[in-house]
Amino acid sequence: MKHFLSIVALLVLAFGCQVARADKPNIVLVLADDMGYGDVQALNAESSIPTPNLNRLAEQGIAFTDAHTPSAVCTPTRYGLLTGRYCWRSRLKRGVLNGYGEPLIEADRPTVASFLKQHEYTCGIVGKWHLGLNLTRTGTENEIDLTRPVDDGPNRRGFDFSYIIPASLDFPPYVYIHNGRITAMSTVAQAAQPFPAFLRKGPRGEDLVMEDTLDHLLEQAVGFIRRESDKSEPFFLYFPLTAPHKPVLPHPRFRGRTKQGPYGDFVVQVDWTVGEVLRTLDECGVAEDTLFVFTSDNGSYMRRLDDPQEPDHTDDPSIQAYRPTSHRANGVLRGTKADIWEAGHRVPFFVRWPGKVTPNTRCDQTICLTDVSATVANLLGSDLPEGAAEDSYSFLPCLLGKSRPTPRPPVIHHSAAGMFAIRDGQWKLVLGNGSGGREKPRGKPFERPYQLFNLARDLSEQENVISQQADVASGLEQACANVRGQ
């Protein structure tokens, strides 16, 4: 009888787990760092970099072909992704934080993680934070107190488990932080290095080896999945990668995998890393109960130099130092990371959700990474906290193969230098006279002539039609002012 009751208890526990997971799927969100729209073969047939795992993800789920980050650089995009709010509404109006920055997400601001935690999710983050930690610098070499707990960070923003690096892997301090504690017992002085292995001078934990970082973070992410897969409660894993962002240092086992130098090899390692996460979900028996998202925080900083249609880049040493000849990381899109043009913020976006998302489908509806908050709430049949995620709109109907009940309001884009653009349907208005980022002409925000593009006919943004479509431009300008509260 005791044996029989034990079996019954196990069956009840298993059945209960299945019911919970059916109503509340696990959520895994992998965010690449600086991967371009054209890097993935599933989106760019001309890509010369093999991406079999991302291709498989596209085949098993849905590919959004008009997905955008709210900003063309990383810190503001991460703010928007986690809060459902455009970062230009915060104190950060342009640029990014460094590794020592003060926390950007306001103390009382709900996040995707804090919302999911209220719905019985266990939330974990592994990877690049880059939203401020209030690290204290000491001495002339910007050393930090390794024994002092980190005052602020993911664990105060809804995450139960965190294993992070403070910022991009080219920003000191180069340390791992586990649940608010720096893991290093001591640091060494990391010298500055030029591109492609670009690093800034600063302290580095002795336990952090640049080439091993992505593998080490993968190990932590896999460990989180394995631990949480044995429990009845659903889990959320936010896995912001450190690649293919600078320093371009793929692990030695990936070097030479492509003919596109270290950048191409690094993209291959990113693809392999995604494959390992997918394999872990399979091994743990939770793949069918997991909504899996892959995207990037902005476009790639890399492009071909032998394209006669592109402007000269001789003043950009990071571009000059590396010359791929046959691969366009951003595909046909104009510009690079940091720019208001499409290459700055149009990114890969794949979602797999077995039994819910029709495999091998595409969606051309415009979405933004700020929309994750509303989509998660819609998925759970719950309302977001009052006043939260004001720039978030659910794309759940798109996932389920349905049309949105009402069209999504226009999307606002923001460049590294603070230049705005507004996108509505086929039209995109740039409220400035240049890229607002790295590409010439860089221009200035809100200086005319503005730029109007019909993306349905001119995805590469080669023809400014503002003189022919003055009424469209005027309407978009007013719409942008309305969103900005002016």
Side-chain angles (χ1 to χ4, degrees):
M1 175 63 74
K2 184 177 180 181
H3 181 65
F4 173 76
L5 291 175
S6 297
I7 293 175
V8 170
L10 289 173
L11 289 173
V12 169
L13 177 62
F15 180 75
C17 180
Q18 290 173 4
V19 170
R21 293 269 166 86
D23 293 339
K24 298 178 180 179
N26 306 314
I27 302 172
V28 175
L29 197 164
V30 180
L31 185 72
D33 198 0
D34 288 8
M35 178 173 276
Y37 188 92
D39 281 329
V40 185
Q41 291 175 320
L43 297 173
N44 178 17
E46 296 182 358
S47 173
S48 57
I49 299 175
T51 53
N53 293 294
L54 292 174
N55 296 347
R56 176 164 61 95
L57 189 59
E59 291 170 0
Q60 295 175 345
I62 185 170
F64 285 82
T65 58
D66 198 6
H68 297 262
T69 59
S71 172
V73 285
C74 54
T75 294
T77 283
R78 290 157 201 273
Y79 177 94
L81 169 63
L82 289 179
T83 67
R85 184 175 189 251
Y86 291 131
C87 190
W88 46 263
R89 298 190 190 277
S90 77
R91 73 171 193 271
L92 186 68
K93 308 300 183 185
R94 55 185 295 164
V96 302
L97 300 182
N98 62 30
Y100 301 93
E102 295 182 4
L104 180 61
I105 299 177
E106 300 85 356
D108 59 348
R109 176 75 50 196
T111 67
V112 174
S114 66
F115 175 80
L116 287 172
K117 189 172 182 177
Q118 292 175 352
H119 289 78
E120 301 179 333
Y121 277 74
T122 301
C123 301
I125 173 176
V126 176
K128 169 182 167 179
W129 179 238
H130 212 165
L131 286 164
L133 292 165
N134 211 22
L135 290 174
T136 302
R137 287 178 273 195
T138 61
T140 58
E141 297 299 324
N142 288 334
E143 279 290 348
I144 53 177
D145 186 348
L146 300 178
T147 65
R148 180 178 177 180
V150 177
D151 289 343
D152 211 333
N155 296 84
R156 291 193 179 181
R157 298 297 183 274
F159 290 98
D160 303 285
F161 172 82
S162 67
Y163 196 98
I164 62 171
I165 62 170
S168 301
L169 199 54
D170 58 351
F171 274 113
Y174 306 110
V175 293
Y176 295 120
I177 304 174
H178 178 202
N179 287 335
R181 290 279 184 178
I182 297 171
T183 62
M185 300 298 292
S186 60
T187 63
V188 297
Q190 173 63 57
Q193 294 185 183
F195 190 88
F198 180 83
L199 290 168
R200 295 172 175 86
K201 178 182 177 182
R204 174 173 59 82
E206 287 192 324
D207 61 344
L208 191 152
V209 178
M210 295 297 172
E211 291 89 339
D212 295 341
T213 300
L214 191 53
D215 279 349
H216 183 67
L217 294 174
L218 172 64
E219 181 181 356
Q220 292 293 326
V222 165
F224 177 84
I225 292 173
R226 293 192 186 283
R227 291 192 301 274
E228 298 307 319
S229 294
D230 290 335
K231 302 175 183 178
S232 60
E233 297 83 8
F235 64 82
F236 168 53
L237 172 63
Y238 172 44
F239 188 16
L241 310 180
T242 54
H245 191 287
K246 302 173 292 185
V248 192
L249 290 170
H251 192 273
R253 70 182 185 280
F254 291 97
R255 294 175 190 168
R257 290 284 192 93
T258 72
K259 295 181 180 180
Q260 301 303 327
Y263 179 81
D265 299 341
F266 220 9
V267 171
V268 169
Q269 185 173 359
V270 168
D271 179 82
W272 177 85
T273 300
V274 172
E276 289 300 291
V277 177
L278 294 172
R279 184 172 66 84
T280 302
L281 294 171
D282 287 335
E283 290 179 352
C284 292
V286 295
E288 297 299 310
D289 305 312
T290 301
L291 188 157
F292 189 99
V293 180
F294 173 86
T295 187
S296 180
D297 65 342
N298 44 249
S300 175
Y301 53 87
M302 197 60 69
R303 69 135 56 85
R304 283 171 49 181
L305 292 188
D306 63 349
D307 188 337
Q309 295 183 351
E310 299 295 350
D312 181 62
H313 302 298
T314 55
D315 66 335
D316 190 334
S318 69
I319 291 290
Q320 281 296 312
Y322 175 62
R323 296 172 177 266
T325 59
S326 61
H327 177 72
R328 295 187 68 177
N330 294 307
V332 302
L333 307 179
R334 183 181 183 183
T336 70
K337 165 188 177 176
D339 294 342
I340 200 64
W341 295 323
E342 288 294 286
H345 48 78
R346 186 182 289 237
V347 292
F349 196 101
F350 305 118
V351 181
R352 187 185 76 171
W353 191 10
K356 298 289 186 179
V357 169
T358 303
N360 202 24
T361 55
R362 293 199 170 202
C363 179
D364 62 1
Q365 294 190 45
T366 307
I367 66 170
C368 182
L369 264 62
T370 56
D371 295 342
V372 169
S373 293
T375 303
V376 166
N378 194 185
L379 183 155
L380 297 178
S382 180
D383 293 328
L384 289 164
E386 186 176 354
E390 61 262 50
D391 301 306
S392 190
Y393 301 89
S394 175
F395 55 79
L396 183 64
C398 306
L399 293 181
L400 303 180
K402 304 174 183 178
S403 297
R404 275 194 172 110
T406 56
R408 190 202 188 284
V411 172
I412 301 294
H413 307 304
H414 203 227
S415 80
M419 189 174 290
F420 284 85
I422 182 169
R423 169 73 186 283
D424 191 10
Q426 65 189 2
W427 298 108
K428 174 183 173 182
L429 177 70
V430 176
L431 288 89
N433 56 356
S435 72
R438 299 169 68 199
E439 297 298 281
K440 291 182 177 179
R442 295 184 178 92
K444 294 183 179 180
F446 302 111
E447 286 203 3
R448 299 178 188 273
Y450 289 174
Q451 306 158 74
L452 179 69
F453 301 104
N454 184 338
L455 297 183
R457 298 186 312 180
D458 180 25
L459 187 57
S460 298
E461 297 174 289
Q462 298 299 306
E463 183 183 7
N464 183 0
V465 297
I466 195 166
S467 60
Q468 299 100 292
Q469 299 287 343
D471 289 345
V472 172
S474 177
L476 288 173
E477 185 176 354
Q478 183 58 55
C480 185
N482 293 340
V483 174
R484 296 177 61 222
Q486 294 185 329

